[in-house]
Amino acid sequence: MDNFTFYSPTYFVFGKGKENETGHYVRRFGGSKVLIHYGGGSVVRSGLLDRVKASLDKEGISYIELGGVKPNPRSGLVYQGIELCKKEGVDFVLAVGGGSTIDSSKAIAMGAVYDGDFWDFYAGRAAAERALPVASVLTIAAAGSEGSDGSVITNEDGMYKRPYGSEVIRPVFAVMNPELTMTLPPYQTASGCTDIMAHVFERYFTNTRNVEITDRFCEAVLKTIIKELPKVLEDPNDYEARANIMWAGTMAHNDICGVGREQDWASHNLEHELSALYDCAHGAGLAVMFPAWMTYVMPHDVNRFAQFAVRVWGCEMDFEHPEETAKEGIARTKAFFHSIGMPTSFAELGAKEEDIPKLLDTLQIDGRTEGFFVKLGRKECEEVYRLACR
Amino acid sequence: MDNFTFYSPTYFVFGKGKENETGHYVRRFGGSKVLIHYGGGSVVRSGLLDRVKASLDKEGISYIELGGVKPNPRSGLVYQGIELCKKEGVDFVLAVGGGSTIDSSKAIAMGAVYDGDFWDFYAGRAAAERALPVASVLTIAAAGSEGSDGSVITNEDGMYKRPYGSEVIRPVFAVMNPELTMTLPPYQTASGCTDIMAHVFERYFTNTRNVEITDRFCEAVLKTIIKELPKVLEDPNDYEARANIMWAGTMAHNDICGVGREQDWASHNLEHELSALYDCAHGAGLAVMFPAWMTYVMPHDVNRFAQFAVRVWGCEMDFEHPEETAKEGIARTKAFFHSIGMPTSFAELGAKEEDIPKLLDTLQIDGRTEGFFVKLGRKECEEVYRLACR
């Protein structure tokens, strides 16, 4: 097991009706002038935004609003938010929405107390030393951003999608009411769950040995999604299943599933180029990339893939031919994604094989590698993209 | 799934040599005048105390010391610590040791900023509103106190052992170096692991339905201990196994294994009377109490015990006779405790059947019940104690 630090100080408030306590927690964590950041009309139409505002009013907390966050959140709105915060003396950023809204909020929270260009952080030119406190009222189980130190923003000047992580943007609290996710269309629900599973995959396939506890936590999250997601696709109002999925989404990405080991993250970065170019759902892009990546890297560690097949999918171990078991696990993964309505090839996603050189260019892969389980250079990344076309 | 809040803000610093960074973290979390609290001579003899002091010196942090914590920590030393903190203007309590030392430190941290008697908290007469920051350098994987909001103290005036829990005593950081646990005798190692498993049992056996994610996390911790402990008993210097156990111990008790559900805790409270009366290791007492408690309550929910048997112990489900599978899981639990050198009966522990009335008296069970999975009055507690004699 590698040395590690683990720090997840977010206060999670989970359950029915909890959005009505938002004001109480903003007060507790020091907010007095809040930027409420959100996406499209659904949080307005559903009345959620009004309930959140009412709970801030009750505590006498003032606020301003900035809506309009899109999936794959853009730098333009972040700049707007930063300017607004500086002008209005905002001291707290409250995201009402999903991963995109929270990620955009995190970028604003860093930029609002930084003299330079916030993109410095995402471009690797600077490390954020502080940020306004960020919190969220979560509306989709997917990105895990409500409990993570990460944020992903797309720079509109060239459509580069880049991640940044820092302790300063770990949310101070997260309000998580599974009821709020009941109105999500099946495609978004399934796409969110794919993202959850992908966050675990990035941590499960590792070269670090003997981290049994973390392996088991990874398997716990995966088995939960595999059991609960079909229930929700059958009955969108299944509160218990929604609740299990929502909490699993947080556990998949606050790094409880990643401590003590090397992680990979090649598939995420390969996918980011897909969603940047085609503006597809991140989860859908991951459903395409992961079976391809698994197929490409499996020979590197057959036994790990066999363990995945046996422990997660309940496959029987073929002791004479472990690679058959390993392959079965990958096939089951792909079949599961299909069964929940996800695309599993470029064609189904609406991506084009002839765009692969363009994807490799925006990935800026020349002279470096992606991933750690197997290090992928330009040629290897191209092969993974090609496998994803099948 | 029940509504819940989850808050585990402890900063965990895990790995080889990490005790040498203690001073850095004390500084980071605001300590300038520290009470170093510890137990017997082992932390002195091993040189650990000197290494911790050197790291405080390096940061220019001043400190005073209070040793002498015993297993099942006593109120007398807590009063001493509180007086010392008040007199010397201590602003940070650093536990160097295991659960007893951390629990004693937590009691001191609350008492040092409280005008009344600290026992008010443990007696249920008052709630702690604040405490000095507490942190630990952990030397045994067992109690999980390094990441929990709990503390258990034995009042020497009558030998009452009582728990208290509050957010104000969640440790601000925990230094966890598995190497520090390599010198533990096998009995203490096994006793610690029994405590870890017991913390999960208290959360696993619940009447709350459909909390799959939490069930799976519970099973993850249990399977880790079952796999890793025998390795450590075979080779005390197996770092990887020690590391898995140490992290599992924290995960067993920071409530990640308990969210969203009713918990039980009858067995812990029944055991507390044993360790208060006989001054036995808490884990050893739990190894005696749990198989008895399981046997008594199993008919209340055969399927949950069958799930436990199948998922944790790998038993084959007997679909015609689920209660046989349930029994097998309990038998496997008892056999495992035996195999790791734990007592599993009153006699093996050195407890006496004729003391049962005395145990029930100090439990102060009249007119109330213990536990939630099955509520146990005096008569039922007596039956569990009697089962533990077999």
Side-chain angles (χ1 to χ4, degrees), chain B residues 26 29-37 56 61-66 78-95 104-114 130-135:
Chain B
V26 170
F29 288 98
S32 61
K33 179 75 185 264
V34 175
L35 174 70
I36 306 179
H37 197 34
L56 293 172
I61 295 163
S62 68
Y63 50 83
I64 55 173
E65 293 175 41
L66 179 64
V78 172
Y79 288 116
Q80 253 182 274
I82 291 169
E83 206 183 300
L84 206 54
C85 286
K86 287 181 172 172
K87 200 177 92 194
E88 302 280 343
V90 162
D91 62 12
F92 197 102
V93 184
L94 178 67
S104 184
S105 297
K106 287 172 171 176
I108 292 170
M110 288 186 287
V113 290
Y114 180 63
R130 56 205 188 93
L132 296 179
V134 184

Side-chain angles (χ1 to χ4, degrees), chain B residues 217-330:
Chain B
F217 276 0
C218 287
E219 292 155 5
V221 171
L222 294 171
K223 286 202 260 204
T224 298
I225 298 296
I226 292 163
K227 179 174 178 187
E228 305 295 336
L229 175 56
K231 295 188 198 170
V232 163
L233 295 178
E234 177 81 20
D235 173 12
N237 296 319
D238 185 334
Y239 178 84
E240 302 291 347
R242 290 277 186 193
N244 274 288
I245 289 170
M246 197 173 218
W247 188 239
T250 303
M251 293 298 98
H253 202 41
N254 80 338
D255 221 27
I256 203 97
C257 288
V259 295
R261 50 173 45 188
E262 192 179 65
Q263 304 181 11
D264 192 74
W265 297 97
S267 303
H268 258 76
N269 291 335
L270 291 177
E271 192 293 321
H272 284 163
E273 302 313 322
L274 287 180
S275 46
L277 184 60
Y278 304 110
D279 208 19
C280 60
H282 177 51
L286 289 165
V288 172
M289 290 315 305
F290 253 107
W293 176 84
M294 288 178 174
T295 302
Y296 187 79
V297 303
M298 184 269 278
H300 171 68
D301 191 345
V302 172
N303 276 349
R304 177 138 285 261
F305 276 91
Q307 176 183 310
F308 170 66
V310 171
R311 289 199 192 166
V312 174
W313 293 107
C315 302
E316 271 218 340
M317 179 67 183
D318 184 337
F319 290 94
E320 290 194 358
H321 312 99
E323 68 282 6
E324 292 305 314
T325 310
K327 278 185 201 166
E328 195 186 338
I330 298 170

Side-chain angles (χ1 to χ4, degrees), chain A residues 117-131:
Chain A
D117 179 353
F118 90 94
W119 191 255
D120 289 349
F121 307 131
Y122 294 79
R125 289 191 297 263
E129 283 171 17
R130 59 206 186 91

Side-chain angles (χ1 to χ4, degrees), chain A residues 312-355:
Chain A
V312 174
W313 293 107
C315 301
E316 271 219 338
M317 178 66 184
D318 184 337
F319 291 93
E320 291 194 358
H321 312 100
E323 70 281 7
E324 292 304 315
T325 310
K327 278 185 202 165
E328 195 186 339
I330 298 169
R332 292 284 295 272
T333 305
K334 193 165 180 172
F336 182 77
F337 287 153
H338 239 148
S339 76
I340 62 174
M342 285 289 103
T344 56
S345 69
F346 261 46
E348 286 175 357
L349 186 74
K352 292 176 198 142
E353 186 158 8
E354 58 263 35
D355 285 340

Side-chain angles (χ1 to χ4, degrees), chain A residues 19 33 38 45 52 132 145 148 188 238 243-244 261-262 304 313 334 352 370 381 388:
Chain A
E19 66 273 19
K33 178 77 184 267
Y38 58 94
R45 283 193 307 275
V52 169
L132 297 179
S145 189
S148 85
Q188 269 187 273
D238 184 333
N244 274 289
R261 51 175 43 190
E262 192 180 65
R304 177 138 285 261
W313 293 107
K334 193 165 180 172
K352 292 176 198 142
E370 279 292 351
C381 287

